[in-house]
Amino acid sequence: MTKRLSRSPRWIVLTAASAALVTVTAALPASAAARERPAPAAALGATQQIDPAALQASLGTPADGLFAGAMARVGGRDGRWTGTMGAVSTDPAASFRIGSITKLFTSTVVLQLVAEGRLSLDTPVQEILPGTFPAHWQPITVAQLISHTSGLPRAVCWDPNAVYTPADLVKTVTECPQAGEPVTGPDIPQVYNGVNYFVLGMVIEKVTHHSYAHEVSRRIVRPLGLGHTYVPGWGETALRAPALAPQLPPTDPWPWAEGGMVSDAPDLERFLRELLRGRLLPSAQQKLLFELPRHAERGFTRGGVQYAKLPDGTEVYGKSGSYGGSTNGVFATRDLRRSVVYSLVPLTTDEREITRRYLGIAAAAF
């Protein structure tokens, strides 16, 4: 079933801005795919000083009229810095809707299930969720969903003013003539599509017989002590803790396993650090976080991590996400020398300005 709700449709397809964090792997030839990316030499060297002045300047000022506020938290072996600008809380534990960063939690749970033998990366979704896809569709595997190489059509028939259950959202693809058929064949391009992660959330629930929220909490949130991170309940429009940007209106968390979670900067920093260092996954699954599929046009690894290369050659791993009025990201170097969490509250709808702002934060952070 669906219900009406007025809000931006930005959850479905990551905008060009969030995909443009850097010069990503789209520029790599096919021969560079399906192998681990080595850490650049600069990342292996001596400690590099954090530049607080550059970081604060990268947040901008209220006078530019483009952002109501901004927050960045830099950590790692080089030290720590946290700063804010404008109408956001100075409390480092202030909560915000993390949008598509949720996908990292989802892919981590799925890879844990693979490690436990509950399913395999090559398992067709049709075997786990029979009847979810039309019978004539070719098999779509768990691995393809994680890495955005499923070929699934986009959800072109969805109503931007409605709230969907996961199953009903998937039907906006499978029962929509305008959506077309999935891309098939040996060379399916990497296309960022939120529907992949709605399906993965459904896979988690079917395999575990527990809710998605339960599995995220049991497997990630509680073991890591993420005290401000949670999957909101259906219809839970208010945040449970003080908000980073209290002026933002209540928002329905229906994007769920694709983009519905809430967290804060310290929790996101800790989650990514523990994920990249191998605490959450065995080695066989851990290596997938750094391997690119044959086609990595959008810069996502086989483990669902967003990979990007900064203009100075620094390679970073993490995820960006936008929902509920904020644009966010969490990234780190592979060796965890440096990490950054940011959250912006745009006033502008110009994606070029939003891109410019967080590219500036990334340049100052790394």
Side-chain angles (χ1 to χ4, degrees):
M1 63 182 293
T2 63
K3 64 180 180 179
R4 307 290 293 184
L5 182 74
S6 177
R7 62 157 202 314
S8 167
R10 295 182 62 195
W11 70 271
I12 272 283
V13 180
L14 194 65
T15 63
S18 55
L21 176 66
V22 284
T23 304
V24 294
T25 50
L28 296 175
S31 61
R35 67 167 183 256
E36 294 189 34
R37 307 294 299 172
L44 302 176
T47 298
Q48 300 177 24
Q49 292 293 323
I50 289 175
D51 187 340
L55 283 164
Q56 187 63 51
S58 74
L59 299 181
T61 67
D64 62 31
L66 299 174
F67 294 83
M71 176 278 300
R73 176 185 176 93
V74 175
R77 296 200 307 269
D78 295 342
R80 182 173 306 286
W81 178 89
T82 301
T84 61
M85 178 279 291
V88 297
S89 172
T90 57
D91 180 358
S95 295
F96 53 95
R97 300 186 186 280
I98 65 175
S100 287
I101 298 172
T102 301
K103 291 183 177 67
L104 276 187
F105 290 83
T106 303
S107 58
T108 299
V109 172
V110 173
L111 290 174
Q112 288 179 343
L113 293 172
V114 170
E116 295 164 8
R118 312 275 294 271
L119 71 165
S120 79
L121 290 172
D122 295 327
T123 301
V125 174
Q126 289 91 329
E127 291 184 8
I128 304 171
L129 302 170
T132 300
F133 295 155
H136 70 277
W137 281 15
Q138 295 295 310
I140 295 173
T141 68
V142 170
Q144 290 175 311
L145 294 175
I146 293 174
S147 64
H148 295 286
T149 56
S150 67
L152 278 175
R154 299 208 188 268
V156 297
C157 288
W158 75 297
D159 179 351
N161 295 312
V163 170
Y164 291 87
T165 66
D168 284 339
L169 188 281
V170 174
K171 288 179 182 178
T172 68
V173 173
T174 61
E175 298 180 3
C176 171
Q178 297 96 311
E181 297 288 306
V183 177
T184 60
D187 293 314
I188 299 175
Q190 190 173 71
V191 177
Y192 188 88
N193 189 341
V195 178
N196 290 321
Y197 278 72
F198 273 99
V199 177
L200 285 173
M202 295 166 65
V203 166
I204 290 169
E205 294 197 334
K206 182 63 177 291
V207 169
T208 65
H209 304 290
H210 294 132
S211 71
Y212 170 76
H214 173 86
E215 291 299 318
V216 168
S217 178
R218 182 176 74 86
R219 294 169 175 273
I220 301 174
V221 172
R222 292 204 301 268
L224 297 185
L226 307 181
H228 294 86
T229 300
Y230 61 96
V231 179
W234 294 108
E236 185 180 350
T237 60
L239 299 180
R240 299 176 188 176
L244 178 66
Q247 73 273 26
L248 293 176
T251 303
D252 196 290
W254 73 272
W256 191 52
E258 187 275 340
M261 288 182 64
V262 172
S263 189
D264 66 8
D267 277 10
L268 288 178
E269 179 185 80
R270 186 179 309 120
F271 166 58
L272 185 63
R273 181 181 68 235
E274 300 304 321
L275 176 63
L276 296 186
R277 74 174 9 157
R279 178 175 173 183
L280 294 173
L281 297 170
S283 58
Q285 287 70 45
Q286 181 72 12
K287 68 179 184 179
L288 300 177
L289 302 181
F290 307 105
E291 290 182 358
L292 295 169
R294 175 179 172 82
H295 287 276
E297 291 87 349
R298 304 305 291 176
F300 289 92
T301 71
R302 295 179 64 202
V305 177
Q306 190 174 354
Y307 161 80
K309 182 179 287 186
L310 297 171
D312 68 357
T314 301
E315 295 178 325
V316 296
Y317 297 84
K319 188 69 183 71
S320 56
S322 300
Y323 191 60
S326 63
T327 295
N328 323 294
V330 55
F331 289 89
T333 56
R334 183 172 177 177
D335 66 354
L336 300 174
R337 174 186 61 81
R338 190 73 61 86
S339 66
V340 65
V341 182
Y342 65 84
S343 184
L344 311 175
V345 184
L347 295 173
T348 179
T349 58
D350 187 339
E351 294 293 353
R352 294 170 300 179
E353 292 293 346
I354 297 172
T355 300
R356 187 176 296 114
R357 183 62 53 91
Y358 65 65
L359 283 177
I361 295 171
F366 293 103

